[in-house]
Amino acid sequence: MQLSLPFAFPRFFPIFHLSPPGARTRPRVAVWGLALWLASVGNLPLWQRIDGLGGTPTQRLALIVGLGLLLVGALAALLSLLAWPRVLRPAASALLLVAAFNTHFMWQYGVVIDPTMLANVVHTDVREVRDLLSWALPGTVLLVAGLPLWALWRRPLALRSLGPQAVRNLTGALAALALLVAAALMSYQGLASLMRNHKDLRYMANPLNTVYAGARLAVDQLPRQVRPLQPVGQDAALGASYAHQPRPPLLVLVIGETARAQNFGLNGYARNTTPMLARWQAQGDLVNFAQVSSCGTNTQVSLPCIFSPLTRAQGGDKTPEHENLLDVLQRAGLAVLWIDNQAGCKGVCDRVPNAYAGDHAVPGLCEGSECYDAAMLDGLDQRLAALDPQRRARGVVVVMHQMGSHGPAYAKRAPADQKPFQPECQSVTLSECPHEQLVSAYDNSIAYTDHFLGQTLQWLKARADRGSEDTGLIYVSDHGESLGENGLYLHGVPYALAPTQQTQVPMVSWFSPGLQRRTGLSMGCLRGHAAAPISHDHVFHSVLGLMDVQTRAYQPALDALMPCSAASQARSPGEPPVALVHTG
């Protein structure tokens, strides 16, 4: 017999039972009612995901019931331990709101909540938050959290004094743990197989996923943040190429945002999203690296890792404990400048001169607090002139951190007159857009990155033609992006589970004839090596090698340019060449 809402809610969620005015809610009723609500309604994306897996309806129901009881037990144990005066209601409210927000983003974008995703959330800025807002968000929050929040706060809780309440809390927690153990024993075989074959499900258990991620962040990051960074390259010095140099080197390192290799025209994509770079490639000095793996699937991980002396396997994807590439370059005596058009440099640029593209609004390129990437080129000559003159005379490394293809507001990443692919998705609720329109909006952002890189190359070539510097550019994206493949949007999937769309990124290099002579780089050789697999692990050492910075921190085997440099070409016929270490 189907129960109407007035009868069903009190029976299955006793917290909603209507009592006379002045009555108090018993804590155990609130604890178990909230645990049941969070385990059921608060985990709708999880149940929907399991229901979409293979197997018979009976098998899927058994998995949902078994995992549901585990969640009820775990949540009831947690809430029982929080059942104290002035603690339970605020803590339970926070868990309800966390579950509601998690539900929205798991539904809308297919994301999961792990420590790296939570770290990304903690370090986001107002612009990124604004892009994620949609009318579906308050609706989901009301659905998941509205009714239990009303029930929780409509009357006080009947909490006792410290001693008796401690006994009740401990008893409730033990009962919840007993349920958890019983559910685990009854459903072990099915749940073990489920979690082994679908590891992403463990990051969908709401809101325990956020509790776990927060605890991991606190344990992993806080101790490292209070310790001073370990120095790197204390022996760093400029090499022989700086003796009596006619012109100093100038390298621009562009860190792309959310560009995936699959949609990059130079990599054979059906659409010509990189017409400017294709022209520079046809001239012979631009090289496209076709197989490049990122260090992470979000900026919070990948950006520090790109500049880390550690490879991903050595812990470069963890909270940094060491100084980075910019520290080594600066210690060697070079001028370093970071220009950001993103949500900050994640600590990478803290010890070098840095600027934000939106500090001075550029007409036509900036609106409000947001700027197109080309704004980073405005006034760049003046920014360089303001650097320390002695360092600048030796050489300069400029890092430009793009807004790039940051989602979900892809349509905002390019001006209206530079969108070759139409019609495009204008919504931030990506699942509402036809797939082809979503791809068009994303491809337009890649095309604008191509335009920005073309402008940067033109600026570098002009400086080289004037004879003021030997110039070069390296571009690499921090991570890729999912555009609805397998129900996933955006990025941030745990690396071990991430699809290639999130881990395979574009990378190109361009060096002026003067910089080629200075370093002895053979462009023909480099083009021949460009199809070999490399990763973010190679950036640190490739930049040190290119800028001729001598230090024990430099590893030739991780220098993607070394096999085609003068040092490698000068080896005797019987001497083996430097082998690239391929990392993924």
Side-chain angles (χ1 to χ4, degrees):
M1 180 178 67
Q2 185 177 5
L3 295 173
S4 62
L5 286 178
F7 293 98
F9 270 33
R11 176 173 295 186
F12 296 104
F13 303 104
I15 190 176
F16 300 123
H17 180 71
L18 295 176
S19 301
R24 291 173 175 263
T25 301
R26 287 175 292 179
R28 66 174 179 270
V29 172
V31 164
W32 286 93
L34 288 169
L36 285 166
W37 180 270
L38 284 169
S40 54
V41 180
N43 276 277
L44 290 175
L46 175 61
W47 309 136
Q48 186 179 39
R49 174 87 164 80
I50 293 177
D51 189 53
L53 300 176
T56 66
T58 302
Q59 290 172 328
R60 295 197 299 272
L61 179 60
L63 289 173
I64 290 173
V65 170
L67 185 54
L69 290 174
L70 277 173
L71 288 177
V72 169
L75 288 164
L78 175 62
L79 289 167
S80 293
L81 296 176
L82 295 173
W84 300 99
R86 300 183 182 180
V87 174
L88 179 57
R89 290 203 289 189
S93 299
L95 291 174
L96 285 165
L97 290 172
V98 165
F101 278 90
N102 286 352
T103 295
H104 171 76
F105 291 110
M106 286 193 285
W107 255 342
Q108 291 295 327
Y109 304 115
V111 301
V112 295
I113 312 299
D114 72 326
T116 58
M117 176 63 76
L118 186 60
N120 219 33
V121 171
V122 170
H123 291 88
T124 193
D125 67 1
V126 175
R127 294 180 303 168
E128 293 181 347
V129 171
R130 188 169 58 240
D131 287 343
L132 290 168
L133 298 180
S134 69
W135 288 111
L137 179 57
T140 305
V141 171
L142 283 174
L143 169 68
V144 175
L147 192 57
L149 282 174
W150 168 80
L152 185 63
W153 287 95
R154 71 187 177 92
R155 61 182 184 176
L157 297 173
L159 292 165
R160 297 174 176 264
S161 58
L162 183 62
Q165 191 59 50
V167 173
R168 287 176 175 269
N169 290 357
L170 182 59
T171 303
L174 290 175
L177 290 175
L179 173 63
L180 189 153
V181 171
L185 291 175
M186 289 188 298
S187 308
Y188 174 77
Q189 186 172 356
L191 291 179
S193 176
L194 178 71
M195 294 301 171
R196 185 170 55 250
N197 296 321
H198 304 279
K199 295 180 180 179
D200 59 315
L201 294 178
R202 67 187 67 179
Y203 301 116
M204 296 182 69
N206 216 357
L208 297 176
N209 48 9
T210 303
V211 174
Y212 166 75
R216 276 287 305 272
L217 280 181
V219 171
D220 293 347
Q221 292 195 7
L222 290 180
R224 300 183 184 188
Q225 290 176 350
V226 299
R227 290 197 298 262
L229 294 175
Q230 299 179 34
V232 174
Q234 290 182 299
D235 60 337
L238 300 178
S241 63
Y242 290 87
H244 312 294
Q245 62 178 2
R247 292 175 301 277
L250 167 60
L251 175 68
V252 172
L253 177 58
V254 178
I255 305 300
E257 171 63 35
T258 319
R260 65 184 199 177
Q262 180 177 319
N263 290 55
F264 214 62
L266 293 185
N267 290 327
Y269 184 48
R271 281 176 164 172
N272 188 12
T273 55
T274 55
M276 294 295 295
L277 292 179
R279 293 174 199 166
W280 287 88
Q281 185 183 48
Q283 295 171 14
D285 294 328
L286 186 137
V287 175
N288 177 58
F289 297 87
Q291 296 188 63
V292 184
S293 299
S294 68
C295 184
T297 60
N298 59 61
T299 305
Q300 183 63 30
V301 171
S302 282
L303 189 60
C305 191
I306 289 172
F307 293 86
S308 172
L310 304 180
T311 65
R312 187 178 189 280
Q314 293 170 335
D317 60 336
K318 309 301 181 185
T319 302
E321 295 183 340
H322 298 78
E323 293 178 339
N324 60 62
L325 172 63
L326 305 187
D327 297 297
V328 180
L329 295 171
Q330 190 163 252
R331 183 169 290 129
L334 297 173
V336 180
L337 173 64
W338 180 287
I339 306 176
D340 209 290
N341 193 33
Q342 250 281 358
C345 66
K346 315 305 180 189
V348 176
C349 68
D350 286 355
R351 296 167 298 281
V352 303
N354 56 82
Y356 175 60
D359 287 342
H360 303 288
V362 182
L365 293 177
C366 296
E367 182 176 345
S369 60
E370 294 194 21
C371 295
Y372 297 118
D373 287 325
M376 291 189 286
L377 293 170
D378 188 81
L380 185 52
D381 292 308
Q382 291 79 4
R383 293 188 192 275
L384 293 184
L387 296 174
D388 180 273
Q390 291 185 331
R391 291 180 175 274
R392 194 175 70 246
R394 300 185 192 106
V396 179
V397 176
V398 178
V399 183
M400 295 184 181
H401 185 203
Q402 282 187 272
M403 177 59 79
S405 300
H406 197 287
Y410 306 119
K412 296 169 62 176
R413 304 298 168 236
D417 60 348
Q418 297 190 44
K419 295 185 176 186
F421 309 111
Q422 295 295 335
E424 67 169 5
C425 171
Q426 296 284 333
S427 173
V428 297
T429 306
L430 303 182
S431 58
E432 294 179 352
C433 290
H435 182 68
E436 60 274 11
Q437 293 185 21
L438 173 59
V439 173
S440 290
Y442 181 82
D443 286 347
N444 285 332
S445 71
I446 297 292
Y448 186 72
T449 287
D450 172 72
H451 168 78
F452 164 67
L453 292 176
Q455 286 185 312
T456 306
L457 288 170
Q458 194 60 51
W459 177 80
L460 287 168
K461 184 178 185 301
R463 293 184 74 95
D465 289 346
R466 292 198 302 267
S468 55
E469 293 106 357
D470 293 328
T471 61
L473 176 141
I474 295 175
Y475 161 81
V476 63
S477 182
D478 62 348
H479 55 78
E481 187 86 326
S482 288
L483 299 176
E485 299 89 359
N486 300 315
L488 295 176
Y489 295 90
L490 302 180
H491 51 267
V493 172
Y495 198 88
L497 309 175
T500 57
Q501 287 88 356
Q502 295 190 27
T503 61
Q504 297 299 300
V505 295
M507 178 174 173
V508 301
S509 70
W510 175 90
F511 307 116
S512 69
L515 190 58
Q516 293 175 38
R517 290 190 296 270
R518 180 189 181 97
T519 57
L521 275 173
S522 166
M523 301 310 292
C525 170
L526 195 58
R527 285 191 292 272
H529 281 75
I534 60 173
S535 75
H536 281 165
D537 293 345
H538 293 82
V539 175
F540 179 95
H541 306 279
S542 299
V543 172
L544 288 182
L546 182 68
M547 299 303 290
D548 194 16
V549 173
Q550 306 294 311
T551 172
R552 288 190 297 272
Y554 168 71
Q555 299 181 44
L558 286 171
D559 181 349
L561 308 177
M562 168 55 81
C564 300
S565 68
S568 181
Q569 301 298 318
R571 292 176 179 271
S572 60
E575 191 175 1
V578 174
L580 268 181
V581 175
H582 301 314
T583 60

